[in-house]
Amino acid sequence: MGIILNNISKKFGDFTALDNIHLDIPEGELVALLGPSGCGKTTLLRIIAGLEQPDAGQVFLKGNEVTEQPVKNRQIGFVFQHYALFRHMTVFGNIAFGLRVKPRKQRLSEAEIKDKVHALLKLVQLDWLANRFPEQLSGGQRQRIALARALAVEPSVLLLDEPFGALDASVRKDLRLWLRHLHHELNVTSIFVTHDQEEAMEVASQIVVLNHGHIEQQGSPSDIYDHPANAFVSRFIGQTNVFDLEQTDTFWLKNSGLPTPQIGKVAHVRPHNIELAKATAGTAQAVLKDWQHLGALIRVELLNKEADDEVAIIFAEMPNEQFKALQIDKGEKVAVRIRHAHWFH
Amino acid sequence: MNVSVTRKPLSLADPNGFRYLSIGLTLAITSLFLVLPLATVLTEAFSKGLGPYSDSLTHPDTLAAIRLTLLTAAITVPLTTVFGVAAAWAVARFSFPGKNLLVTLIDLPFSVSPVIAGLIYVLVFGAQGWLGPWLAAHDIKIIFAVPGIILATLFVTFPFVARELIPLMQEIGCEEEEAALSLGAGPWQMFFSITLPNIKWGLLYGVLLCNARAMGEFGAVSVVSGHIRGLTNTLPLHVEVTYNEYDFIGSFAGASLLAGLAVVTLIVKTFLEWRQAQDLKAARLASE
């Protein structure tokens, strides 16, 4: 009974932003709407919030149809990409806003509002900023205040539009984890929009991959990574080496140990499913072009000289020690072994 | 001396003293065309001393002209303000067919001579106009009466507030308003607690310019007024009428009021421009 979207379609002029979207999000999940820019993910989020009207279809929140309801009746919390803090109000005023605009009968007393705002400020660990104005805050602080403001009205659904998009890489890392922990604590059904697959994998319990206004796949991060439903998802989530049977030397591929296809002619191979060994006769060989240190892993760039497509670079990843044990230098030949592949048409 | 402050790029170097020439020329023209007339107005007004000056200001016809001017401003400025906010809202927040045409139409009074504006109303509401016979039959006076003056002033001041607010509201964007809605605010709560505080300095700026124009408008009002002394003369018309009758003290005394209005407007305008620049800077910082 979380969020149900039924046949949602939306056009802007001739451009189809969303094409017949069905989506069922169980209560309490933390969902990432993931897709390239222009795929319709923000539009979908705004339709759930009521900031945008769908051309067709229905929106259900907690079992109630809200398609025709204005934003204020939907009990949602919305966090905007650029925070949208009220610039003429202090941090306290911003968080208190949702409590103060309630009709008089439901409104808390000023003392209760004060307690609640300070509790929220403690929750986002920024209690000492209550009297600052938004322009005096850093990006990460603004984002957390925007979140506290959205939580003040005790929303049944929390919607976040590219919540970390405008932040520095290091702040982003911290806030991702923080958001995940906060969600564990509050257990509010939450949806966030992102174009960053790493962010989606790290934060979300469910990922919905969108492309050109329709859903390509929905599932847990490991589902989507290990069992991509199609070539788009496979390419979009994580790095993938693509081998087209019609373009790559089949003899080379056979030597590489690539399992035979059940369906399709295009093999997608994750970098960690490629093994390297000393080059010997009867193996698929490639030239070590370059390698990078990614921390625990080494990423290796290989040039498959025997492939028709000369510029095709193969990426492989392996633990540090494993790479060292190989003892190969740039320009030397290695044997390539493919352990596992996904096949697509 | 702090060299880094005064150092200029080579392209801005000024070997021929063009800087002094251009500054001097601007100053000379400003004093010739702006400061000198202002000084003349004041010296002429006070040429026979304070007594005649205050006598001519307290003359019933002058007082009537001041009252009519204030009344005209008191009616047109609020109407133009409401229209301006509504128009800016429509243009900045929605997209609809004919939007560009609407923006062009709002600008129309800027490009039409005020005399034409007055003439339009004479042609529509005058005794020989389209609605003339009907108005006469119902004993409604518009031309050569106060309603005509207000209509003509409305036409002329129409774009002032809208023109000021449209770019401002486009710059600010609607995210804060959407945030207010998502937090449970109704449309009016959103407008008064979020939109209005964000646009207030720009709005005041537009209102100020609109007020200056409403009080100072001559051409359009002149056509529809009929110059009935004590009844349909606004302050600018009063200045003209007295001047034509060689009542120079009266004329320049009236002119000194208008000049005073101009100076006050200029000072407040400078302050509002400064405030607005601060707000825009804050807006840009906030959305970074």
Side-chain angles (χ1 to χ4, degrees):
Chain A
M1 281 306 227
I3 302 167
I4 296 170
L5 301 178
N6 205 2
N7 288 325
I8 295 283
S9 292
K10 177 76 182 173
K11 280 187 170 196
F12 294 109
D14 289 337
F15 176 72
T16 306
L18 295 170
D19 186 15
N20 208 15
I21 296 276
H22 285 270
L23 190 58
D24 194 338
I25 292 171
E27 182 86 41
E29 294 279 345
L30 175 55
V31 178
L33 289 181
L34 174 66
S37 56
C39 71
K41 54 195 192 296
T42 294
T43 307
L44 192 61
L45 195 76
R46 290 172 63 86
I47 284 175
I48 298 171
L51 293 169
E52 209 85 64
Q53 274 297 312
D55 297 337
Q58 291 110 32
V59 180
F60 295 87
L61 297 181
K62 294 213 157 187
N64 304 314
E65 194 188 338
V66 295
T67 320
E68 303 290 327
Q69 294 284 333
V71 191
K72 62 177 284 192
N73 297 349
R74 294 194 184 195
Q75 266 201 298
I76 51 114
F78 201 101
V79 177
F80 292 82
Q81 188 180 1
H82 297 289
Y83 328 121
L85 293 177
F86 306 133
R87 69 194 77 175
H88 61 282
M89 293 182 196
T90 60
V91 163
F92 184 95
N94 266 281
I95 299 176
F97 183 85
L99 304 170
R100 285 177 173 159
V101 294
K102 285 205 164 114
R104 193 152 293 155
K105 279 179 196 159
Q106 301 163 29
R107 204 185 302 160
L108 302 171
S109 71
E110 268 304 305
E112 289 170 304
I113 288 179
K114 196 176 166 197
D115 289 347
K116 190 156 184 190
V117 170
H118 282 290
L120 282 161
L121 277 169
K122 285 209 180 79
L123 180 73
V124 298
Q125 298 151 2
L126 292 174
D127 203 21
W128 45 289
L129 291 178
N131 295 316
R132 301 276 185 90
F133 282 91
E135 63 184 68
Q136 298 168 305
L137 307 181
S138 73
Q141 289 169 342
R142 283 182 205 168
Q143 187 59 282
R144 284 192 276 166
I145 296 300
L147 194 60
R149 180 178 70 176
L151 291 172
V153 293
E154 293 174 11
S156 58
V157 174
L158 186 61
L159 305 169
L160 306 104
D161 186 9
E162 300 259 3
F164 314 114
L167 297 171
D168 298 343
S170 64
V171 182
R172 203 181 306 170
K173 277 260 179 216
D174 290 345
L175 272 186
R176 279 180 193 167
L177 269 181
W178 178 78
L179 179 66
R180 201 178 152 94
H181 293 152
L182 189 73
H183 179 260
H184 276 306
E185 208 171 310
L186 302 172
N187 215 27
V188 178
T189 312
S190 307
I191 304 181
F192 72 98
V193 157
T194 180
H195 59 262
D196 181 344
Q197 48 91 14
E198 215 178 286
E199 186 169 295
M201 300 285 286
E202 198 175 323
V203 180
S205 61
Q206 288 264 312
I207 296 179
V208 177
V209 184
L210 280 163
N211 187 31
H212 292 308
H214 59 259
I215 295 176
E216 299 279 1
Q217 192 174 0
Q218 178 184 5
S220 69
S222 49
D223 256 357
I224 289 196
Y225 189 83
D226 294 334
H227 308 287
N230 53 44
F232 174 81
V233 176
S234 166
R235 274 171 196 267
F236 197 72
I237 306 281
Q239 211 166 16
T240 298
N241 296 297
V242 178
F243 298 98
D244 191 332
L245 281 192
E246 284 169 359
Q247 279 171 32
T248 316
D249 182 349
T250 40
F251 186 65
W252 188 91
L253 277 180
K254 201 167 167 245
N255 276 344
S256 76
L258 181 71
T260 44
Q262 290 116 29
I263 46 144
K265 294 188 212 67
V266 183
H268 284 210
V269 182
R270 300 280 188 206
H272 60 81
N273 281 328
I274 292 182
E275 239 172 30
L276 300 187
K278 283 275 177 202
T280 51
T283 55
Q285 297 183 355
V287 176
L288 178 68
K289 180 171 176 277
D290 201 0
W291 57 273
Q292 295 111 33
H293 213 299
L294 304 181
L297 291 178
I298 298 282
R299 181 202 282 145
V300 181
E301 289 178 36
L302 303 163
L303 268 182
N304 177 7
K305 279 278 166 59
E306 285 161 61
D308 291 344
D309 189 356
E310 279 180 48
V311 286
I313 291 177
I314 304 167
F315 290 99
E317 279 173 14
M318 67 199 66
N320 235 324
E321 298 76 24
Q322 207 175 318
F323 180 71
K324 274 189 196 136
L326 277 173
Q327 289 183 317
I328 43 169
D329 279 325
K330 285 179 197 172
E332 285 182 9
K333 282 194 169 180
V334 281
V336 175
R337 201 174 156 71
I338 297 175
R339 269 194 300 238
H340 180 75
H342 292 112
W343 290 94
F344 300 107
H345 289 286
Chain B
M1 204 176 92
N2 191 344
V3 179
S4 68
V5 172
T6 51
R7 189 185 292 153
K8 290 266 167 58
L10 205 61
S11 58
L12 287 181
D14 184 17
N16 300 324
F18 185 74
R19 173 158 51 137
Y20 298 105
L21 186 70
S22 63
I23 294 173
L25 200 65
T26 313
L27 268 181
I29 292 175
T30 312
S31 16
L32 186 66
F33 289 103
L34 297 175
V35 181
L36 196 63
L38 201 62
T40 316
V41 166
L42 289 178
T43 45
E44 285 292 330
F46 288 104
S47 60
K48 298 223 168 74
L50 202 60
Y53 175 77
S54 65
D55 282 350
S56 65
L57 278 192
T58 48
H59 188 278
D61 288 351
T62 317
L63 288 179
I66 294 173
R67 263 198 302 275
L68 181 58
T69 301
L70 291 177
L71 175 74
T72 309
I75 294 174
T76 52
V77 172
L79 287 177
T80 315
T81 305
V82 171
F83 164 78
V85 172
W89 188 280
V91 171
R93 293 291 177 263
F94 304 109
S95 59
F96 49 89
K99 183 159 132 176
N100 288 336
L101 185 69
L102 179 70
V103 175
T104 313
L105 277 180
I106 291 173
D107 273 347
L108 185 70
F110 277 150
S111 50
V112 171
S113 160
V115 177
I116 309 291
L119 207 59
I120 294 165
Y121 287 107
V122 173
L123 291 175
V124 176
F125 300 112
Q128 266 75 48
W130 291 350
L131 300 176
W134 186 86
L135 290 171
H138 292 80
D139 202 23
I140 302 171
K141 285 206 182 78
I142 289 182
I143 299 305
F144 305 143
V146 175
I149 292 174
I150 287 167
L151 279 177
T153 310
L154 263 181
F155 180 89
V156 174
T157 55
F158 206 46
F160 280 84
V161 176
R163 258 291 129 205
E164 199 54 47
L165 289 185
I166 289 170
L168 180 65
M169 288 180 71
Q170 280 170 338
E171 164 96 27
I172 290 176
C174 57
E175 271 204 342
E176 281 178 57
E177 289 161 1
E178 289 181 338
L181 291 179
S182 77
L183 291 167
W188 290 110
Q189 279 175 319
M190 176 197 78
F191 179 76
F192 284 108
S193 57
I194 305 301
T195 313
L196 203 54
N198 279 345
I199 62 169
K200 66 179 175 222
W201 296 112
L203 181 64
L204 282 177
Y205 186 87
V207 167
L208 178 82
L209 293 189
C210 172
N211 181 62
R213 185 67 192 266
M215 290 190 172
E217 173 57 25
F218 179 83
V221 171
S222 175
V223 177
V224 296
S225 142
H227 302 266
I228 307 167
R229 201 177 292 248
L231 281 180
T232 63
N233 265 356
T234 59
L235 201 49
L237 299 181
H238 177 76
V239 171
E240 191 212 14
V241 169
T242 45
Y243 186 84
N244 287 343
E245 289 168 352
Y246 304 104
D247 174 10
F248 293 129
I249 300 287
S251 151
F252 281 106
S256 73
L257 287 184
L258 289 173
L261 173 74
V263 171
V264 171
T265 303
L266 205 64
I267 293 168
V268 180
K269 176 171 167 281
T270 312
F271 169 74
L272 290 178
E273 274 169 357
W274 173 76
R275 272 307 320 216
Q276 231 188 317
Q278 300 271 304
D279 275 8
L280 278 183
K281 213 167 81 184
R284 288 198 189 109
L285 271 178
S287 61
E288 255 168 27

